[in-house]
């Protein structure tokens, strides 16, 4: 079945360090991979996404990489700041063309000042 | 200037009761979703409607019934509430029911069943 595994479940870094969150998906038909950030008590919000025809995408301090062969994708945050502290979710599109997203379990990132 | 709104924000009720959560979006999107986020923060799709037509219906107890009166609204009715229904329910919308469109989430409804 469709499944997305996300690691680590918690991540603590010092301000200014980099953070990397990794995801693995099971459905080889998945071709869209968004990342959502959810601050405490707030709604999930899209921060970056990547399609399967691209290997890497950057937006200022965040970047996402995709390895379709290995069915891995990763989120990289550089120069972390305390406001980056949140729960981050990776997701993969389902095999049907319905907009269905299968989410990973989430990573709680804590950036210590 | 709220994009996706939900009411109520908090809902506390007894086991066995029936309750509804309402969702509205003013983004002009034609696809709307319901997600359940449990106590471990796991986000799982429940339902999706595209132009008032049900297109995603995951393995959800039939006590849960979505209703979409028009493209801008998607409501969730829950019958015979159980303790395990306690969670945060998020509504979301996107431009169309295809894979590549950003989903915009509502603020969530925290349901507590006592």
């Amino acid at each position: 079945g469709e499944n997305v595994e996300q690691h680590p479940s918690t991540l603590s870094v010092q301000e200014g360090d980099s953070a990397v969150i990794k995801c693995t998906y099971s459905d080889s038909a998945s071709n869209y991979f968004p990342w959502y950030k959810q601050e405490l008590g707030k709604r999930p919000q899209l921060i970056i996404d990547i399609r399967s025809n691209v290997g890497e995408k950057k937006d200022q301090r965040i970047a996402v990489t995709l390895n379709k062969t290995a069915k891995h994708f990763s989120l990289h945050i550089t120069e972390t700041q305390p406001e980056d502290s949140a729960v981050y979710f990776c997701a993969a599109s389902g095999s049907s063309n319905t907009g269905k997203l299968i989410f990973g379990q989430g990573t709680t990132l804590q950036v210590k000042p | 200037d709220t994009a996706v709104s939900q009411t109520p924000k908090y809902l506390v009720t007894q086991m066995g009761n029936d309750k509804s959560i309402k969702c509205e979006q003013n983004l002009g999107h034609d696809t709307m979703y319901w997600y359940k986020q449990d106590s471990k923060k796991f986000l799982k799709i429940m339902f999706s409607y595209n132009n008032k037509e049900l297109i995603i219906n995951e393995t959800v107890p039939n006590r849960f019934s979505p209703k979409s009166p028009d493209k801008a609204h998607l409501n969730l009715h829950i019958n015979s509430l159980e303790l395990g229904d306690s969670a945060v329910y998020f509504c979301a919308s996107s431009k169309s029911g295809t894979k590549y469109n950003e989903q915009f989430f509502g603020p969530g409804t925290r349901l507590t069943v006592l």
Side-chain angles (χ1 to χ4, degrees), chain A residues 35-54:
Chain A
W35 286 87
Y36 283 80
K37 175 183 180 183
Q38 186 179 24
E39 296 177 0
L40 188 62
K42 301 286 181 65
R43 72 192 78 192
Q45 291 189 290
L46 181 74
I47 55 171
I48 194 167
D49 57 14
I50 191 168
R51 298 187 188 186
S52 59
N53 57 351
V54 174

Side-chain angles (χ1 to χ4, degrees), chain A residues 10-19 79-86 108-113:
Chain A
T10 59
L11 180 58
S12 181
V13 300
Q14 280 304 127
E15 182 177 0
D17 287 351
S18 294
E79 300 171 30
T80 53
Q81 300 166 2
E83 51 265 39
D84 294 330
S85 296
T108 300
L109 173 64
Q110 182 187 25
V111 180
K112 298 177 185 175

